[in-house]
Amino acid sequence: MPEASTVLETHRVAPYPWLLADVGGSNARFGWVPHAGCVPQHVRTLAVAEYPEFIDAARAYLDSLAHAGLPGERQPGSAAFAVATAPGEERVELTNSGWGFSRRRMRQQLGLRGPLLVLNDFEALALSLPSLRANQWQSTPTQASGDGSALAAPRFDVPVAVVGPGTGLGVAGLLPTRAGWLAVPGEGGHATLAPADDFESALLAAARREFPHVSAERFLSGIGLPVLYRSLAEVRGERALPEVDAKWIVERALAQDDALASACIESFCAMLGGFAGSVALTFAARGGVFIGGGIVPRLGPVFERSAFRERFEAKGRFSGFLRAVPTALVTDTLVALDGAAQALLQHA
C-alpha cells in the first residue's frame, strides 16, 4: 500500500485549532491540530469511567494542554468527535457507556467558532484508511487455500470495509467517488450472528438462554468475550469461572494457562473471520477488509495461527471472490483521530 504523506492538506478549512476525539465505551482519546499542515498532536487517552460526562473529559484534556505549557491558542475553533454509536441529529447517546450530549449545548460549552462534527467512530476509522502509514497496519495471515501465495496489499480504487472488536463491534465501508472518499457507517455489529456449523449453533443456543437476540457484538467484542466464554463452558460441560472479563480471557489465552480461555479466543478468531467475510460480501469490498479495534492487535501469534482467514474465505460459491480480497490489521489504535481530522477537511 503506498505510504501517504503525514501532513494534512493546507487548503482553507474549518477554523483552527481543532479538537479531535475518538470516544468508545471504555476510553476517550483526544488530539489537537493547532493549524493547517499538522497531524493530530498531544494525543491523550482518558478513561470514560473517571468522568461523569463527556464535557468533563474534554475540559480535562484542554486543561492538560495548558498545564503542559502548550504555546499558542488553546481555545478550539472547530471540533470533530468520533463516537461509538449512531449519532442522532441533536442528541448523541453512547451505546456502551452512560455518556451523552447535545450537539448544540456542546458547541456552546466549548465556545466553538467553527463546526462541531459528530460521526460514528468507524466512519472516522474508515476515513483514515487511505492514509495509513506503514507502521500503522500489517497483513493478516496468508490465504487459507495454502497455495503459498501472499495476499495482495489493500487497494483504494474499489470499495473497502473495516470491522473492529473493541468494547463493542464496529463496522463501516469506504467508497471511492469523484468527489473524494465516502465513508458509510453502519451498525453491523448488532446484526444477528450466523453460525458456521453445529458447534457454533450450540454456542448461539447457549447464549440465547441469556439474551433473546445474539448479535455479532454479543460474542465478538470486549463485552461479548465473557458471553462467549460462558457459552463455551456450557457446551463443553465445563465450569466457567465467575465474573471474568475480556482482559482476563485474553491474558489467560496468551499465557496458555487456561484451556477454556484459549478455546474462547480460538472461537472468537474463527467467528470474526466468518463475520468479516460477510461484511466483505455486503460491501463488495474488493479492495480489502481491515480489522480495527483494540482486541485483535493484542493477540499476536494466537491470531496469526487462528482460523480467521480460513473462515473469512469459507463462503461457498463466493469463496473464490473472497480469496482475492486482502485482509489487514490496523495496529495503531489512534487512527480514528486522523479520520476525524479528515472529516473536518472534507466538511469544507
Side-chain angles (χ1 to χ4, degrees):
M1 185 166 60
E3 187 167 330
S5 168
T6 60
V7 179
L8 298 176
E9 298 177 48
T10 57
H11 56 270
R12 183 177 178 85
V13 291
Y16 290 95
W18 293 351
L19 174 64
L20 309 175
D22 172 22
V23 188
S26 301
N27 296 301
R29 301 172 177 91
F30 291 91
W32 187 254
V33 178
H35 51 74
C38 292
V39 295
Q41 305 175 3
H42 308 288
V43 174
R44 186 179 176 195
T45 300
L46 302 181
V48 169
E50 294 182 4
Y51 298 90
E53 298 290 345
F54 174 68
I55 186 61
D56 300 309
R59 285 171 172 160
Y61 172 74
L62 293 172
D63 288 344
S64 75
L65 299 182
H67 294 154
L70 181 67
E73 178 64 57
R74 290 188 296 271
Q75 172 67 40
S78 306
F81 301 150
V83 295
T85 189
E89 290 294 324
E90 165 57 20
R91 185 72 189 172
V92 178
E93 300 289 349
L94 276 293
T95 302
N96 292 315
S97 81
W99 280 3
F101 61 89
S102 154
R103 293 176 188 248
R104 185 180 302 107
R105 177 65 175 153
M106 179 63 66
R107 193 169 183 276
Q108 293 171 347
Q109 289 173 315
L110 292 174
L112 301 179
R113 308 185 310 277
L116 166 62
L117 302 186
V118 183
L119 60 160
N120 175 265
D121 57 341
F122 270 73
E123 182 181 0
L125 182 53
L127 286 171
S128 77
L129 297 177
S131 298
L132 286 179
R133 301 180 288 280
N135 63 347
Q136 294 178 310
W137 73 284
Q138 65 184 42
S139 293
T140 62
T142 54
Q143 290 169 290
S145 56
D147 60 6
S149 61
L151 287 170
R155 45 186 285 214
F156 293 95
D157 58 333
V158 289
V160 300
V162 59
V163 303
T167 302
L169 178 64
V171 176
L174 186 70
L175 311 179
T177 74
R178 293 180 180 179
W181 295 106
L182 174 63
V184 183
E187 292 297 330
H190 300 287
T192 305
L193 184 62
D197 52 32
D198 291 344
F199 175 71
E200 290 184 359
S201 292
L203 292 177
L204 290 167
R208 278 196 293 270
R209 285 187 273 278
E210 187 174 354
F211 302 99
H213 175 241
V214 182
S215 66
E217 185 173 278
R218 285 296 186 198
F219 279 178
L220 306 178
S221 67
I223 60 174
L225 272 175
V227 181
L228 178 56
Y229 173 86
R230 293 193 297 272
S231 299
L232 192 62
E234 180 176 330
V235 171
R236 288 166 51 128
E238 299 179 15
R239 176 179 173 272
L241 294 175
E243 299 181 3
V244 302
D245 59 12
K247 181 181 178 182
W248 183 92
I249 293 169
V250 170
E251 288 176 348
R252 299 281 60 79
L254 293 177
Q256 297 183 328
D257 61 5
D258 186 279
L260 190 57
S262 294
C264 181
I265 294 301
E266 289 175 7
S267 290
F268 168 86
C269 292
M271 298 180 84
L272 179 63
F275 177 74
S278 296
V279 171
L281 292 176
T282 300
F283 283 104
R286 296 178 183 271
V289 175
F290 288 81
I291 308 301
I295 294 177
V296 177
R298 297 170 57 195
L299 300 180
V302 173
F303 180 71
E304 292 173 7
R305 54 178 185 262
S306 75
F308 170 83
R309 183 70 201 190
E310 177 184 351
R311 286 288 303 279
F312 179 84
E313 296 180 12
K315 297 296 182 185
R317 292 175 296 166
F318 269 74
S319 292
F321 176 96
L322 289 169
R323 197 169 295 127
V325 175
T327 46
L329 177 61
V330 180
T331 55
D332 185 344
T333 58
L334 300 175
V335 296
L337 294 176
D338 296 324
Q342 182 62 35
L344 275 171
L345 284 172
Q346 292 193 175
H347 178 75

